[in-house]
Amino acid sequence: MKKYTDINDITNISQTINEAIQLKKAPFEYKNLGTNKTLVMLFFNASLRTRLSTEKAARNLGMDVICLQINNSWNLEFEDGTIMNLDTSEHIKEAAKVIAQYADIIAVRAFPSLKNKDLDYAEVIINSFTKYANIPVVNLESATAHPLQALADAITINEFSTNKRPKVVLSWAPHPKALPQSVANSFVTMMQLLPVDFTITHPEGYELNSEVTKNTKVTYNQDEALKDADFVYVKNWSSYKDYGNILSQDENWMITQKKINNAKFMHCLPVRRNVVVEDAVLDSDNSIVINQANNRTYAAQIVLKQILEELN
Ligand SMILES: CCC[C@H](NC(C)=O)C(=O)O
Ligand SMILES: NC(=O)OP(=O)(O)O
């Protein structure tokens, strides 16, 4: 693996899932693979799980880790040819090359603007690091994707599946803030690669990018979608069509015990209790969100392992 900015950077998804599950059973088996190698993590936005699980994964492989809240560093310029006499202090061309001298692998979190769809969907920030750093780049959630989250989700579904072709539902839920489509996009992309019966449900106006959803089943009727579900993956996202805007905060889309029945409840976290999902669900045996968050370490570890193997 040369980089992990997109789920399609994984050559064999089922093998990668199985290798991650093996790593989970023996997390220090490759503890010398990353000796004298450094992971530099750059955060333009907040994080808990990604920040901690990715560092844990790197250290499990013997890597050194340096983490920078880069939004507290110099304000970077990403456009070519700009006369930088306003509020940007350093061009990504210099910053990426300088950082690459301190790192063997760079990992970046940069959420979308949710203002400019073309710029966001051009993935300017993470693609600039990939272009100018010339070392492997890992996506810690970018403007349109969260591939490490999706890999952890796939590992979790593999672990908890009780039948060969489980019914998986991605349901939108309300949230007071306008959130990225990144997690939803990557979950949809990952489900399209797995042997699952997959349905997306959301209110009208929340259709995801059709280049992502392709021919995946979509319904505006949440009750119909949730019927006989084995896994219910819940996430809020802002409108793609009416880019970055909140069109609904309909409380009827909040997940309740009554709606979820015996399905396993999944969410990438952080989750707004009693807005996205009621307490009763999160506090029940239906919820596997803690197991799901634990799998973030092994998703990151198998990705870093495959990148290190290519470097060594
Ligand atoms: C992992 C989720 C990160 C982010 N969530 C928030 C609350 O900003 C999102 O929805 O993309
Ligand atoms: N799910 C996830 O990426 O969590 P953080 O935003 O806390 O890293």
Side-chain angles (χ1 to χ4, degrees):
M1 184 183 279
K2 294 196 181 308
K3 65 177 179 70
Y4 189 58
T5 55
D6 186 288
I7 289 168
N8 297 319
D9 291 322
I10 295 175
T11 48
N12 183 324
I13 189 65
S14 59
Q15 182 183 321
T16 299
I17 291 169
N18 292 332
E19 284 182 18
I21 292 171
Q22 289 314 308
L23 273 180
K24 189 172 175 179
K25 293 171 186 159
F28 306 114
E29 185 170 349
Y30 300 92
K31 66 180 177 11
N32 298 317
L33 190 62
T35 303
N36 301 330
K37 294 282 191 297
T38 300
L39 170 70
V40 169
M41 295 199 283
L42 307 170
F43 286 87
F44 288 84
N45 307 90
S47 171
L48 185 155
R49 278 143 293 272
T50 305
R51 167 75 183 77
L52 295 175
S53 61
T54 309
E55 177 158 355
K56 182 175 175 62
R59 294 189 184 286
N60 284 353
L61 294 165
M63 294 187 81
D64 292 320
V65 180
I66 305 173
C67 187
L68 175 66
Q69 200 68 33
I70 194 164
N71 56 319
N72 295 338
S73 178
W74 301 112
N75 190 19
L76 298 180
E77 176 61 54
F78 288 89
E79 275 193 52
D80 286 344
T82 305
I83 298 170
M84 293 170 53
N85 59 1
L86 295 174
D87 60 351
T88 52
S89 309
E90 182 165 15
H91 201 278
I92 185 64
K93 288 183 181 178
E94 281 73 52
K97 289 173 184 167
V98 166
I99 293 165
Q101 294 173 132
Y102 309 140
D104 297 283
I105 302 172
I106 290 177
V108 184
R109 166 167 281 196
F111 288 174
S113 68
L114 292 179
K115 298 276 181 285
N116 185 322
K117 182 193 276 192
D118 292 342
L119 269 186
D120 286 345
Y121 274 74
E123 286 284 19
V124 170
I125 295 179
I126 198 148
N127 287 343
S128 295
F129 277 100
T130 306
K131 180 177 177 183
Y132 296 118
N134 273 325
I135 63 170
V137 173
V138 173
N139 184 338
L140 298 179
E141 185 174 350
S142 63
T144 69
H146 196 351
L148 278 178
Q149 181 64 54
L151 180 53
D153 299 336
I155 294 165
T156 308
I157 289 170
N158 180 289
E159 287 178 327
F160 283 87
S161 287
T162 53
N163 65 51
K164 278 198 179 312
R165 193 172 176 78
K167 179 177 178 182
V168 179
V169 178
L170 168 65
S171 175
W172 178 94
H175 194 286
K177 288 172 62 180
L179 298 185
Q181 295 100 35
S182 314
V183 168
N185 286 342
S186 289
F187 187 71
V188 170
T189 303
M190 183 60 81
M191 289 308 107
Q192 289 167 344
L193 297 172
L194 298 182
V196 298
D197 170 10
F198 183 49
T199 301
I200 304 169
T201 186
H202 55 66
E204 280 194 73
Y206 279 100
E207 294 75 9
L208 292 166
N209 180 357
S210 57
E211 290 176 23
V212 171
T213 53
K214 299 181 178 129
N215 60 355
T216 299
K217 236 179 307 174
V218 179
T219 174
Y220 302 138
N221 183 328
Q222 187 188 48
D223 291 336
E224 174 196 292
L226 294 179
K227 199 172 174 328
D228 303 325
D230 295 295
F231 295 91
V232 176
Y233 193 99
V234 183
K235 185 70 183 76
N236 171 269
W237 61 87
S238 56
S239 177
Y240 172 76
K241 277 181 166 175
D242 185 353
Y243 192 65
N245 287 318
I246 296 174
L247 311 180
S248 163
Q249 294 201 36
D250 183 353
E251 295 164 4
N252 293 314
W253 280 80
M254 179 180 78
I255 296 295
T256 61
Q257 194 65 52
K258 185 167 178 289
K259 286 181 180 183
I260 203 165
N261 272 320
N262 295 322
K264 293 298 181 196
F265 174 80
M266 295 179 75
H267 191 285
C268 62
L269 304 180
V271 71
R272 299 278 189 123
R273 280 178 171 251
N274 305 311
V275 175
V276 169
V277 56
E278 70 174 357
D279 281 331
V281 173
L282 273 174
D283 296 333
S284 75
D285 292 341
N286 291 79
S287 174
I288 57 174
V289 302
I290 306 302
N291 314 73
Q292 189 181 349
N294 187 41
N295 285 334
R296 287 296 308 276
T297 298
Y298 307 102
Q301 195 168 333
I302 192 59
V303 162
L304 291 172
K305 174 177 177 287
Q306 291 186 6
I307 290 173
L308 286 169
E309 284 168 343
E310 189 115 2
L311 281 180
N312 287 343

